[in-house]
Amino acid sequence: MYALVSLISAWAIPIMIVFIPLYAAYRKVPVYESFVEGAKDGFDTAIKIIPHLVGMMVAISVFRASGAMDMLIGWMRPFFESIGVPTEVLPLAILRPITGAGSLAFTTDLIEQFGPDSMIGRIASTVQGSTDTTLYVITVYFGAIGIRKAGYALKVGLISDAVGFIASLVICYLVFS
């Protein structure tokens, strides 16, 4: 089974890269012109999101540098210690909804410090894959297209992140304990 999954993984992207243009050509879609038009739209979108990206980066820097994250973790630590959750992963639960790059860097540090096969490494990896950068997505993408009322999306996104964090803990303890 492992060999089959490895074979599919190795060939999936090359097959898609060949199949999609061939299928488009078969359907008489102007492949190159469509690509160029999409690239133009992508460039315009990138220009529109730059102010939102800068604002989000400043907010993340202020949050971390002010000590607010450390204070929040300090409040959460006693509860999570009492239920047996490794407190080393708590900053990841806070960082992940805010920043993908920051949470990935933190996950990398945890894996280097504790090892990929440790419970902390496994939880961190599972959290990284089970949650999303909710605040980043709402700030950048909603801001770029002009959506100003994002309250419901924010609530649903943060609840989803909390559920992803809790599910990661439960699944890791069930599978790896």
Side-chain angles (χ1 to χ4, degrees):
M1 184 63 158
Y2 179 78
L4 177 63
V5 171
S6 295
L7 182 68
I8 291 170
S9 297
W11 283 98
I13 291 177
I15 288 172
M16 287 176 55
I17 289 173
V18 171
F19 174 76
I20 291 171
L22 287 176
Y23 183 72
Y26 170 76
R27 300 280 310 241
K28 309 272 192 262
V29 173
V31 176
Y32 183 75
E33 292 80 4
S34 297
F35 173 78
V36 170
E37 188 64 33
K40 284 182 195 174
D41 293 343
F43 185 74
D44 291 339
T45 301
I47 296 298
K48 287 179 187 175
I49 68 172
I50 287 174
H52 303 285
L53 282 171
V54 171
M56 189 67 189
M57 287 182 199
V58 168
I60 292 166
S61 297
V62 168
F63 178 69
R64 293 184 77 186
S66 70
M69 186 172 81
D70 295 331
M71 187 173 64
L72 188 59
I73 292 168
W75 289 340
M76 295 167 54
R77 181 167 275 124
F79 170 74
F80 282 98
E81 284 176 345
S82 71
I83 60 172
V85 173
T87 56
E88 293 84 1
V89 298
L90 290 181
L92 185 59
I94 295 169
L95 281 175
R96 184 66 178 143
I98 300 171
T99 170
S103 64
L104 182 58
F106 189 79
T107 299
T108 302
D109 289 344
L110 287 176
I111 290 171
E112 285 177 0
Q113 185 177 357
F114 296 100
D117 292 331
S118 67
M119 184 58 83
I120 291 170
R122 289 174 172 165
I123 291 172
S125 298
T126 307
V127 167
Q128 188 71 20
S130 302
T131 57
D132 200 1
T133 54
T134 302
L135 298 174
Y136 175 86
V137 168
I138 289 174
T139 301
V140 175
Y141 297 119
F142 281 30
I145 60 174
I147 295 175
R148 299 288 176 235
K149 295 183 178 181
Y152 290 118
L154 177 63
K155 289 174 192 169
V156 169
L158 291 176
I159 289 170
S160 298
D161 288 331
V163 169
F165 180 73
I166 293 166
S168 297
L169 292 171
V170 170
I171 289 168
C172 284
Y173 278 111
L174 288 175
V175 172
F176 300 116
S177 288

